[in-house]
Amino acid sequence: MKKEELLRSIQGKMIVSCQAVYGEPLYVEEKSVMYLMARAAKMAGSPAIRTSGIRDILAIKEETGLPVIGLIKKQYEGYDGYITPTMTEVDELVSAGTDVVAVDCTLRRRGDGKAVNQYLAEIREKYPDIILMADIATFEEGINAWKCGVDLISTTMSGYTVDSPKQDGPDFELMRKLAENVDIPVIGEGRIHSPQQAVEALNTGVWAIVVGSAITRPLEIAERFVSAIENRNS
């Protein structure tokens, strides 16, 4: 799908993140089951899916036919970032036909000694036509990624790095500030737990939003209910 067509298809809408990593209840060693979550997301009207790992990317694309924002989570020694941290993962995502490649664009330590600017430049040189999404945590990181020529900025990492605010809900301020200051689509993502928060996120001026845990992680959903009830009973 061409970039302009993809951007039109997601504008003002909710992308569903369908991910299960090792150790989570929906991670099945033998085969992917996340295509079932993606099927439900498509039936509900999601225009695209965000997912992790080649296995799930291929299964979800085959099942839904929707564009996929793909990433590979891999922790290397010396790297603080773990979302598509090296060119090896980019190569794998491109080979799998990923529609949008999501990359950690925080300013944290990289084990290869490269700044994120150099990493992005190398990706662009090797794959000039791919659609790049920058996963960032702060306004500074978003501006930096924008200047490096990414196609989309996502607030994915806000609250998960030492330089970003720790809060229970979405970082609406970061969404709003980025949407007002860059001329590429900003995607609101991170701790959107309710339909009301989803609407509020879109009202910040972002292009689209991503919701994951509140929809596709049953353990986290169940724990939220149990915690509320335990607090009520204490």
Side-chain angles (χ1 to χ4, degrees), residues 3-160:
K3 182 170 77 171
E4 294 75 16
E5 182 184 358
L6 183 142
L7 293 180
R8 284 195 303 270
S9 72
I10 66 173
Q11 187 173 14
K13 297 183 180 179
M14 178 185 71
I15 298 160
V16 176
S17 179
C18 301
Q19 299 185 47
V21 296
Y22 182 80
E24 293 184 351
L26 291 187
Y27 181 86
V28 179
E29 192 96 28
E30 297 77 19
K31 63 176 183 178
S32 168
V33 298
M34 293 311 292
Y35 73 92
L36 296 171
M37 284 289 188
R39 180 193 296 175
K42 180 180 180 179
M43 291 174 66
S46 179
I49 303 295
R50 178 173 164 119
T51 194
S52 172
I54 300 302
R55 183 181 71 168
D56 286 348
I57 290 168
L58 295 175
I60 287 170
K61 285 180 70 70
E62 180 180 1
E63 168 66 29
T64 68
L66 293 175
V68 169
I69 300 167
L71 57 123
I72 294 176
K73 293 181 177 178
K74 190 162 185 178
Q75 190 71 64
Y76 288 99
E77 184 177 356
Y79 287 75
D80 289 328
Y82 55 87
I83 295 176
T84 318
T86 75
M87 190 67 75
T88 298
E89 290 76 49
V90 175
D91 291 339
E92 293 177 17
L93 291 168
V94 172
S95 295
T98 306
D99 299 276
V100 179
V101 174
V103 176
D104 186 308
C105 289
T106 62
L107 300 177
R108 297 180 294 174
R109 179 181 58 179
R110 293 182 54 84
D112 54 12
K114 299 175 183 176
V116 67
N117 302 44
Q118 182 181 354
Y119 180 43
L120 290 172
E122 290 176 357
I123 295 173
R124 274 288 181 231
E125 182 177 2
K126 189 170 186 178
Y127 300 110
D129 298 324
I130 65 170
I131 304 173
L132 272 177
M133 172 181 279
D135 286 352
I136 57 86
T138 68
F139 180 71
E140 177 190 9
E141 291 167 350
I143 294 298
N144 183 68
W146 169 51
K147 291 180 177 178
C148 287
V150 300
D151 300 289
L152 306 100
I153 299 170
S154 177
T155 60
T156 316
M157 298 304 299
S158 175
Y160 301 102

